[in-house]
């Protein structure tokens, strides 16, 4: 178990204390397996469970004395187990939130007591006991670096001892080793699904960076060299005994501004090793590539990397008038020379940095358009600020401070005042003042920058002038007010991609997370702490729109801190905290953390807040998190469905309405939640929102109704509330996401004959059929699925389908699609359409048989099922049975019977039964061993499968008897 915890589990950087387990799907999987092992240990291995550990496993617990009952002696906050060691010491002791456990039996019982907290308890235990085997068996059994830790070696240790205890130890070693292998195999499966470095990738990155090395001012590195020139046949340069650990090569990198760095490139990532003599031990965090590693180590590398423009790109640009930004700063802030680039700032090298910088919101343009120059109608405020500018630049600290205070008397939220500061050159001086040691001047400058950075032009100018880098440094200041102002200004500036990247590259994310770490959290919220955390959360909210920043926040330990602040009652701090969480909830690791850290309960609680903005962000967070079934169950458990339903009454706030309807849609994925929505009359309210709403609301409303249509009662409710007509009208929309949801909802309603007659009268089926021409595969698939219940429940469906000119040809042509979902849905539609003989004849003329036969070699069970159904129904016309045999569709169908899906079995048996009417097909079936498989299915409880299997076997048997009779008379 110690091996897995050291090598496979994902730990945060140690920092000043011990590292903690990250909240990741891999770690959750490992913890759940360890919990199951420990819980079952006492019942599966009672003798070994009684073994008393050499030292107790000790950790800080979240359990209190009230959790314990029979078998324990409880004295106020102290708990002791009745079971004791022969030395008289209890095998379990809880004292002042510290838990000590000395046997597997007590550990098993404790996990059962912990219930929903068992994951947290297991995590805390393993974090406090990094090598639990040492505590269980003794220090001589610990995993020592460089020592043989094989199971045989552990047995050698045990053999040196004797007696019953030795035998118990041997069994425990075996059981723990078995668990270790299981955990390693499990983690290997998960890790193998992620992209890893390989020799070719590393070599390409090294060659790219070598092009940018040298002693020049604009180069990124002085040199970069491999430690070995010998390349093995697999492309690795590491010796074979290190390749087994996943290591590829070793590099010596000489940055301009730090000591030489010796790094290891492995399949898992890049890390700092022990030095030039190749000390293989890892000395740093793991980074995804060399560039990411260097960004954390060398400010000069970060500064010069964007200047490295590939030669081909620069030739293509020709004589582009791109002027580099130059800034000459003086400590006093007296004077400076600034030249700001006014043309497009697209740089070829930015593509190297922008990967992973995807935003969940639309970014501002990298360089916004300048305001119109030469406006002669400037206001008095503009000229007033221009007069103050010379005092700001004066150089005397007192005069500068007075000028800054006077400038704040103007309304800095007005664009005129904001641009006046920029046009008079004050912006550059304000940024220079941040780099002085005058705290009052720094504070005055930040207050002005905070107000004027609401302007898009000024945000970009601040980033261009290097203001963000200085603000990140100020976050280390001992002055709390200064840190708050810097964080708030960062929150305003970091609204575009390049600014967010700058904050991360200069270590800003970690510093902002530290602002959330206040002593008073969880006890009494002091105003100073709340304000500091609020400013930090605001900045993190802006930064969290970048994927890489989300990961950086998680690595810096931001999730538990956000969870703690979510429990407070101050709206000012709650809004940015929930805003950050809902931005980050697009990442699976955050959704897992939000669930396991108990945040869903607080999100649901805040849905009842009086502040609409907070309600909106809580609903948005639930919308993203409700992708997971466990989260949907938690929302229902904490009565969040009622709160969401109540919020539908607020139709004025469209942003809130979009968030709430989105959360309802995702929660409706669970049938239990749909039943609750029925109880709260949510469906009736949703129907009223089908008209006069923006598209972002309609997508969610129609999506929620589509999920609710799974229940028969809701289909009737939608009809009675007049919801079918507006639904059908939405089939003419152009938004692709909306069309997908409308198709699903209309298809769901069509399962009721009464609803189907309304849909048909409104020309809904023709509209659905026309959507099969849509270029979007998702729209095509959803339209085809919707047509299935329409064809099945329509009166005179055969005649209705034939009335669509070119409709049958269109649906047959879709069998040439490359999208699996389109093929599956079209096969399902064809199976329904082919029930009408005339329609089947037309489809046969359009070549449905060879197109279906081409799909027979699929491994997709969903496609197999509907394809088999389509083949079964298409056999009913002419010589189609023979044609399927000639098209080699029979042998692949026979293999479907080996599938584990019973629905595939039924559809396949029905298809084979129809095909077995042709003697040649019977021969092929017999050769492919269908008789043995079908015989087992004759005893099925599924009547349709039983009948089809028996019929097919009967046809094969008749052919065999006829053959014998012809042969032997």
């Amino acid at each position: 178990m110690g091996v897995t915890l050291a090598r496979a589990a994902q730990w945060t950087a140690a920092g000043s204390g011990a590292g903690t387990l990250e909240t990741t799907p891999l770690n959750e999987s490992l913890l759940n397996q360890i919990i199951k092992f420990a819980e079952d240990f006492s019942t599966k291995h009672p003798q070994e469970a009684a073994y008393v550990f050499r030292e107790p496993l000790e950790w800080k617990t979240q359990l209190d004395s009230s959790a314990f009952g029979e078998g324990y002696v409880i004295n106020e906050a102290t708990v002791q187990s009745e079971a004791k060691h022969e030395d008289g010491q209890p095998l379990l002791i809880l004292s002042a939130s510290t838990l000590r456990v000395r046997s597997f039996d007590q550990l098993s019982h404790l996990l059962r007591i912990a219930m929903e907290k068992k994951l947290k308890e297991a995590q805390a235990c393993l974090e406090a006991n990094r090598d639990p085997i040492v505590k269980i068996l003794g220090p001589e059994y610990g995993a020592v670096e460089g020592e043989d830790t094989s199971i045989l070696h552990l047995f050698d240790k045990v053999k040196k001892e004797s007696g019953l205890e030795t035998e118990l130890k041997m069994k425990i070693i075996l059981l723990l080793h078995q668990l270790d292998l299981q955990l390693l195999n499990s983690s290997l499966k998960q890790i193998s699904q992620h992209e890893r470095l390989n020799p070719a990738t590393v070599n390409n990155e090294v060659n790219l960076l070598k092009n940018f090395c040298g002693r020049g001012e604009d180069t990124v590195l002085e040199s970069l060299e491999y430690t070995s020139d010998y390349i093995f046949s697999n492309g690795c340069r590491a010796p074979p005994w290190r390749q087994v650990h996943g290591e590829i090569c070793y590099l010596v990198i000489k940055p301009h501004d730090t000591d030489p760095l010796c790094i290891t490139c492995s399949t898992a990532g890049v890390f700092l090793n022990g030095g030039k003599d190749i000390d293989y031990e890892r000395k740093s965090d793991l980074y995804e590539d060399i560039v990411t590693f260097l960004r954390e180590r060398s400010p000069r590398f970060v500064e010069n990397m964007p200047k490295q423009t590939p030669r081909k790109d620069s030739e293509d640009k020709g004589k582009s008038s791109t002027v580099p930004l130059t800034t000459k700063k003086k400590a006093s802030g007296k004077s400076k020379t600034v030249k700001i680039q006014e043309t497009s700032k697209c740089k070829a090298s930015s593509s190297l940095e922008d990967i992973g910088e995807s935003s969940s919101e639309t970014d501002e343009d990298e360089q916004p358009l300048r305001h119109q120059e030469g406006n002669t109608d400037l206001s008095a405020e503009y000229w007033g600020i221009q007069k103050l500018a010379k005092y700001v630049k004066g150089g005397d600290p007192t005069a500068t401070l007075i000028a800054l205070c006077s400038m704040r008397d103007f309304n800095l939220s007005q664009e005129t005042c904001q641009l006046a500061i920029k046009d008079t050159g004050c912006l550059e001086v304000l940024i220079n003042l941040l780099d002085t040691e005058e705290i009052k001047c720094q504070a005055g400058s930040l207050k002005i920058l905070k107000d004027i950075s609401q302007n898009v032009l000024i945000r970009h100018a601040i980033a261009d002038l290097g203001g963000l880098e200085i603000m990140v440094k100020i976050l280390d200041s001992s002055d709390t007010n200064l840190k708050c102002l810097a964080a708030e200004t960062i929150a305003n500036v970091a609204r575009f991609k390049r600014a967010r990247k700058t904050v991360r590259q200069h270590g800003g994310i970690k510093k902002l997370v530290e602002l959330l770490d206040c002593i008073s959290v969880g006890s009494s919220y002091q105003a100073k702490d709340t304000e500091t955390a609020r400013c930090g959360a605001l900045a993190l909210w802006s930064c969290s729109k970048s994927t890489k920043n989300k990961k950086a926040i998680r690595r810096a330990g931001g999730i538990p801190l956000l969870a703690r602040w979510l429990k407070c009652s101050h709206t000012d701090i709650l809004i940015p905290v929930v805003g950050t969480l809902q931005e980050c909830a697009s990442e699976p690791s955050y959704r897992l953390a939000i669930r396991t850290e108990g945040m869903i309960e607080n999100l649901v609680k805040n849905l009842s807040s009086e502040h609409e903005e907070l309600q909106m962000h809580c609903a948005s967070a639930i919308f993203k998190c409700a992708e997971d079934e466990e989260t949907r169950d938690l929302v229902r458990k904490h009565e969040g469905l009622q709160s969401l339903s109540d919020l539908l009454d607020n139709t004025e706030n469209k942003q809130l309405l979009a968030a709430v309807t989105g959360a309802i849609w995702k929660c409706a994925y669970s049938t239990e939640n749909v039943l609750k929505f029925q109880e709260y009359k949510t469906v009736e309210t949703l129907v009223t929102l089908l008209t006069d709403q923006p598209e972002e609301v309609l997508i969610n409303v129609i999506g929620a109704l589509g999920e609710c249509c799974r229940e028969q009662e809701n289909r009737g409710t939608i009809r009675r509330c007049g919801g079918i007509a507006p639904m059908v009208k939405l089939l003419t929309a152009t938004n692709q996401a909306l069309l997908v949801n409308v198709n699903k909802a209309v298809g769901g309603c069509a399962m009721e004959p009464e609803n189907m007659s309304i849909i048909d009268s409104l020309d809904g089926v023709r509209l659905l059929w026309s959507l099969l021409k849509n270029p979007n595969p998702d729209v095509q698939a959803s339209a085809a699925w919707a047509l299935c219940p329409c064809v099945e429940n329509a009166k005179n469906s055969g005649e209705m389908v034939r009335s669509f000119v070119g409709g049958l040809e269109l649906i047959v042509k879709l069998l040439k699609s490359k999208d699996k979902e389109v093929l599956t849905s079209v096969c399902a539609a064809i199976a329904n359409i082919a029930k009408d003989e005339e329609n089947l004849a037309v489809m046969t003329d359009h070549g449905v048989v060879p197109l279906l036969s081409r799909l027979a070699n699929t491994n997709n069970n969903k496609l197999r099922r509907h394809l088999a159904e389509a083949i079964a129904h298409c056999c009913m016309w002419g010589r189609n049975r023979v044609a399927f045999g000639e098209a080699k569709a029979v042998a692949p169908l026979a293999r479907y019977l080996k599938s584990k899906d019973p629905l595939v079995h039924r559809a396949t048996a029905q298809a084979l039964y129809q095909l077995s009417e042709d003697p040649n097909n019977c021969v092929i079936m017999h050769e492919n061993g269908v008789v043995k498989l079908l015989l087992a299915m004759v005893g099925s409880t599924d009547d349709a499968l039983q009948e089809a299997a028996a019929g097919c076997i009967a046809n094969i048997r008749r052919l065999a008897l006829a053959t014998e009779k012809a042969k032997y008379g």
Side-chain angles (χ1 to χ4, degrees):
M1 196 156 68
V3 175
T4 303
L5 290 175
R7 293 186 184 174
Q10 296 167 330
W11 297 83
T12 59
S16 58
T20 58
L21 285 165
E22 287 189 27
T23 307
T24 63
L26 172 60
N27 282 353
E28 186 187 29
S29 172
L30 293 176
L31 285 171
N32 282 328
Q33 290 178 68
I34 292 169
I35 289 167
K36 190 175 188 316
F37 171 82
E39 269 189 315
D40 298 343
F41 199 93
S42 59
T43 51
K44 289 184 178 178
H45 314 287
Q47 195 175 359
E48 289 76 16
Y51 173 80
V52 178
F53 300 161
R54 179 75 68 87
E55 291 180 43
L57 294 175
E58 184 176 324
W59 71 92
K60 292 288 183 184
T61 180
Q62 294 183 3
L63 300 175
D64 55 29
S65 57
S66 63
F68 296 84
E70 189 179 348
Y72 296 94
V73 178
I74 303 169
N75 182 15
E76 295 182 355
T78 306
V79 178
Q80 294 185 359
S81 64
E82 292 178 355
K84 296 185 178 180
H85 186 36
E86 56 192 21
D87 62 5
Q89 288 293 320
L91 296 179
L92 182 145
I93 300 174
L94 170 63
S95 176
S97 79
T98 300
L99 194 60
R100 297 178 184 86
V101 180
R102 296 190 65 190
S103 74
F104 280 112
D105 188 42
Q106 291 296 324
L107 200 58
S108 297
H109 197 215
L110 176 74
L111 288 170
R112 294 190 196 105
I113 290 170
M115 298 174 72
E116 70 272 4
K117 292 183 180 178
K118 66 177 71 172
L119 196 68
K120 282 287 178 190
E121 290 301 310
Q123 181 175 343
C125 176
L126 294 173
E127 286 173 352
N129 305 276
R130 291 287 284 264
D131 195 351
I133 293 175
V134 172
K135 298 283 185 78
I136 295 168
L137 300 174
E140 61 272 24
Y141 297 95
V144 180
E145 189 65 35
E147 186 183 4
D148 176 16
T149 57
S150 69
I151 190 69
L152 292 174
H153 184 57
L154 292 173
F155 277 138
D156 288 340
K157 287 184 177 179
V158 171
K159 282 179 184 176
K160 293 174 186 175
E161 305 169 17
S162 60
L164 179 62
E165 187 178 353
T166 305
E167 189 180 336
L168 281 176
K169 278 188 178 181
M170 190 174 289
K171 288 180 180 176
I172 290 170
I173 287 170
L174 266 174
L175 291 167
L176 292 175
H177 182 69
Q178 206 171 12
L179 172 65
D180 218 20
L181 288 175
Q182 178 189 328
L183 295 176
L184 283 170
N185 285 333
S186 172
S187 62
L188 187 64
K189 280 181 185 175
Q190 291 202 39
I191 292 168
S192 63
Q193 293 171 2
H194 300 288
E195 290 185 20
R196 300 166 73 81
L197 286 182
N198 57 58
T201 307
V202 172
N203 193 47
N204 289 340
E205 192 173 15
V206 170
N207 290 337
L208 176 67
L209 289 173
K210 278 185 174 181
N211 291 332
F212 305 146
C213 291
R215 295 186 180 276
E217 286 186 11
D218 289 339
T219 56
V220 296
L221 298 167
E222 194 173 310
S223 66
L224 181 149
E225 299 295 338
Y226 289 108
T227 58
S228 170
D229 293 329
Y230 185 77
I231 304 174
F232 290 89
S233 57
N234 60 359
C236 294
R237 295 172 188 255
W241 61 89
R242 296 307 301 176
Q243 288 183 32
V244 296
H245 296 284
E247 292 176 8
I248 297 169
C249 66
Y250 312 100
L251 297 167
V252 178
I253 300 173
K254 290 185 180 177
H256 290 294
D257 49 358
T258 65
D259 294 332
L261 303 168
C262 298
I263 68 167
T264 299
C265 298
S266 71
T267 53
V270 175
F271 59 86
L272 191 69
N273 60 41
K276 240 183 175 180
D277 298 329
I278 309 299
D279 174 358
Y280 299 112
E281 186 181 351
R282 196 173 104 187
K283 303 290 187 183
S284 73
D285 286 345
L286 205 60
Y287 297 87
E288 59 190 47
D289 52 36
I290 301 169
V291 171
T292 306
F293 171 84
L294 288 169
R295 283 190 192 133
E296 297 289 333
R297 298 276 167 177
S298 170
R300 176 84 173 268
F301 179 88
V302 173
E303 183 184 343
N304 286 349
M305 195 63 192
K307 300 175 186 176
Q308 311 306 316
T309 306
R311 196 167 297 162
K312 184 178 177 183
D313 289 354
S314 60
E315 288 170 2
D316 291 343
K317 286 181 183 178
K319 297 180 180 179
S320 171
S321 59
T322 305
V323 183
L325 172 71
T326 60
T327 313
K328 181 181 177 183
K329 295 188 180 180
K330 295 190 178 181
S332 65
K334 283 184 185 178
S335 64
K336 58 188 353 199
T337 305
V338 178
K339 190 179 286 185
I340 300 175
Q341 169 179 323
E342 295 183 9
T343 57
S344 170
K345 297 185 74 68
C346 295
K347 294 183 181 179
S349 62
S350 68
S351 60
L352 294 171
E353 309 235 3
D354 288 347
I355 296 169
E357 288 288 337
S358 61
S359 167
S360 53
E361 288 188 7
T362 306
D363 275 313
E364 295 171 3
D365 294 334
E366 274 300 294
Q367 184 66 30
L369 294 172
R370 287 176 58 83
H371 70 290
Q372 292 295 320
E373 302 289 353
N375 185 355
T376 56
D377 236 2
L378 295 173
S379 64
E381 287 87 350
Y382 186 95
W383 300 115
I385 286 174
Q386 193 173 50
K387 287 176 186 176
L388 282 173
K390 61 182 178 182
Y391 296 106
V392 174
K393 299 175 184 178
D396 177 61
T398 307
T400 301
L401 190 58
I402 292 169
L404 290 174
C405 292
S406 300
M407 199 172 281
R408 289 205 66 222
D409 290 337
F410 289 93
N411 184 359
L412 296 181
S413 61
Q414 284 185 357
E415 188 179 17
T416 307
C417 296
Q418 294 166 352
L419 296 176
I421 292 172
K422 182 175 182 295
D423 294 344
T424 54
C426 267
L427 188 59
E428 294 85 342
V429 180
L430 289 171
I431 290 170
N432 272 355
L433 285 172
L434 299 180
D435 222 1
T436 66
E437 294 179 1
E438 290 285 337
I439 290 179
K440 289 181 180 178
C441 286
Q442 285 179 309
S445 175
L446 280 170
K447 284 176 181 177
I448 293 170
L449 288 171
K450 183 190 77 171
D451 291 339
I452 66 174
S453 56
Q454 301 288 349
N455 185 288
V456 177
L457 282 166
I458 289 177
R459 282 202 284 274
H460 285 263
I462 290 171
D464 292 340
L465 292 165
L468 279 169
E469 291 90 328
I470 304 171
M471 290 178 210
V472 169
K473 285 181 186 175
I474 291 173
L475 293 174
D476 288 325
S477 169
S478 57
D479 189 294
T480 304
N481 182 46
L482 216 53
K483 289 195 287 190
C484 290
L485 288 169
E488 278 195 277
T489 312
I490 289 171
N492 290 338
V493 177
R495 294 183 189 175
F496 61 103
K497 191 184 297 183
R498 188 158 46 88
R500 292 195 288 272
K501 185 165 51 179
T502 302
V503 174
R504 185 184 70 251
Q505 288 172 343
H506 289 81
I509 300 296
K510 188 175 181 183
K511 294 174 184 178
L512 290 168
V513 168
E514 286 169 0
L515 293 182
L516 300 177
D517 196 3
C518 301
I519 298 169
S520 65
V521 176
S523 52
S524 60
Y525 294 94
Q526 295 177 11
K528 185 174 71 173
D529 293 336
T530 304
E531 179 60 17
T532 305
R534 183 189 72 84
C535 297
L538 278 171
L540 288 173
W541 188 6
S542 292
C543 292
S544 65
K545 291 176 175 63
S546 156
T547 305
K548 286 188 178 180
N549 285 354
K550 290 172 189 174
K551 293 177 182 176
I553 293 169
R554 176 169 57 79
R555 284 198 296 266
I559 296 176
L561 294 171
L562 289 167
R564 285 162 65 190
W565 278 110
L566 190 60
K567 294 174 183 174
C568 84
S569 56
H570 298 281
T571 307
D572 287 347
I573 176 70
L574 280 172
I575 288 174
V577 164
V578 178
T580 305
L581 286 171
Q582 67 92 9
E583 280 291 345
C584 294
S586 56
E587 296 289 312
S589 59
Y590 273 91
R591 293 202 294 271
L592 173 62
I594 288 169
R595 187 175 76 239
T596 55
E597 293 279 351
M599 290 189 244
I600 296 297
E601 182 179 359
N602 296 108
L603 289 172
V604 167
K605 176 185 169 185
N606 286 315
L607 286 173
S608 303
S609 166
E610 295 177 359
H611 297 266
E612 291 186 358
E613 187 180 0
L614 178 57
Q615 291 175 328
M616 179 189 72
H617 293 309
C618 288
S620 295
I622 292 171
F623 166 67
K624 291 178 181 177
C625 293
E627 294 283 349
D628 307 318
E629 185 179 357
E630 290 179 38
T631 302
R632 296 196 292 271
D633 293 341
L634 285 171
V635 174
R636 182 178 69 255
K637 177 185 173 184
H638 297 300
E639 299 183 355
L641 302 180
Q642 174 76 71
S643 300
L644 289 169
S645 298
D646 292 343
L647 286 172
L648 288 176
D649 295 332
N650 187 346
T651 56
E652 298 301 317
N653 188 333
K654 299 303 179 186
Q655 284 185 311
L656 173 60
L657 192 60
V660 169
T661 51
I664 289 172
W665 171 24
K666 297 296 178 175
C667 288
Y669 285 1
S670 298
T671 304
E672 296 89 345
N673 290 351
V674 172
L675 296 174
K676 280 288 182 184
F677 285 136
Q678 278 179 212
E679 184 183 324
Y680 303 143
K681 307 291 183 186
T682 308
V683 176
E684 290 89 328
T685 311
L686 287 171
V687 170
T688 64
L689 298 174
L690 284 173
T691 52
D692 302 322
Q693 297 297 338
E695 280 187 343
E696 56 267 26
V697 174
L698 284 173
I699 289 169
N700 297 336
V701 169
I702 206 77
L705 288 172
E707 295 300 329
C708 292
C709 278
R710 295 198 305 271
E711 294 295 317
Q712 183 178 1
E713 185 181 331
N714 291 334
R715 296 195 288 269
T717 302
I718 292 170
R719 181 183 68 252
R720 288 190 297 275
C721 293
I724 294 177
M727 268 189 197
V728 171
K729 189 177 179 181
L730 287 173
L731 288 171
T732 58
T734 55
N735 184 297
Q736 307 294 298
L738 178 57
L739 284 173
V740 170
N741 286 356
V742 174
N743 289 343
K744 184 173 182 179
V746 171
C749 287
M751 293 167 70
E752 293 290 315
E754 287 182 63
N755 291 356
M756 183 54 224
S757 61
I758 299 172
I759 292 168
D760 191 20
S761 67
L762 294 168
D763 218 10
V765 182
R766 184 186 62 79
L767 290 170
L768 281 171
W769 214 288
S770 67
L771 288 174
L772 295 174
K773 299 176 185 176
N774 193 292
N776 187 316
D778 293 334
V779 176
Q780 290 177 341
S782 59
W785 283 121
L787 284 171
C788 296
C790 289
V791 173
E792 191 174 344
N793 293 303
K795 293 178 181 177
N796 301 320
S797 63
E799 189 177 332
M800 176 189 74
V801 171
R802 285 192 297 280
S803 69
F804 305 134
V805 178
L808 291 170
E809 183 182 3
L810 173 61
I811 204 159
V812 170
K813 277 185 178 178
L814 282 176
L815 289 172
K816 297 176 183 177
S817 172
K818 294 180 181 178
D819 187 276
K820 280 278 195 296
E821 191 65 20
V822 172
L823 292 172
T824 306
S825 58
V826 168
C827 285
I830 286 172
N832 280 287
I833 295 166
K835 292 174 184 177
D836 182 87
E837 195 174 76
E838 288 184 49
N839 290 337
L840 175 55
V842 175
M843 287 194 294
T844 303
D845 291 342
H846 287 305
V848 73
V849 173
L851 288 171
L852 289 172
S853 301
R854 266 175 40 186
L855 303 175
N857 284 306
T858 182
N859 292 319
N860 184 300
N861 274 336
K862 191 177 179 183
L863 177 55
R864 280 178 166 185
R865 173 195 166 189
H866 293 289
L867 174 61
E869 286 176 356
I871 289 173
H873 286 97
C874 287
C875 284
M876 306 293 192
W877 175 256
R879 58 186 305 278
N880 282 0
R881 292 187 181 89
V882 178
F884 278 120
E886 291 170 352
K888 303 191 184 325
V890 180
L893 270 176
R895 291 195 291 272
Y896 291 8
L897 294 174
K898 295 177 182 177
S899 166
K900 293 180 181 179
D901 188 341
L903 294 174
V904 174
H905 293 166
R906 181 205 287 178
T908 305
Q910 289 171 335
L912 291 174
Y913 172 50
Q914 293 299 328
L915 290 166
S916 65
E917 298 288 339
D918 176 60
N920 291 327
N921 291 343
C922 286
V923 173
I924 297 168
M925 289 178 204
H926 192 272
E927 288 172 353
N928 283 274
V930 300
V931 175
K932 185 178 179 181
L933 295 167
L934 288 171
L935 278 170
M937 293 174 190
V938 169
S940 168
T941 55
D942 183 336
D943 293 343
L945 171 58
Q946 191 182 61
E947 189 178 337
C952 185
I953 293 169
N955 286 340
I956 294 170
R957 182 61 184 151
R958 283 193 200 95
L959 177 64
L961 289 171
T963 305
E964 285 180 18
K965 189 174 181 180
K967 191 172 181 180
Y968 301 109

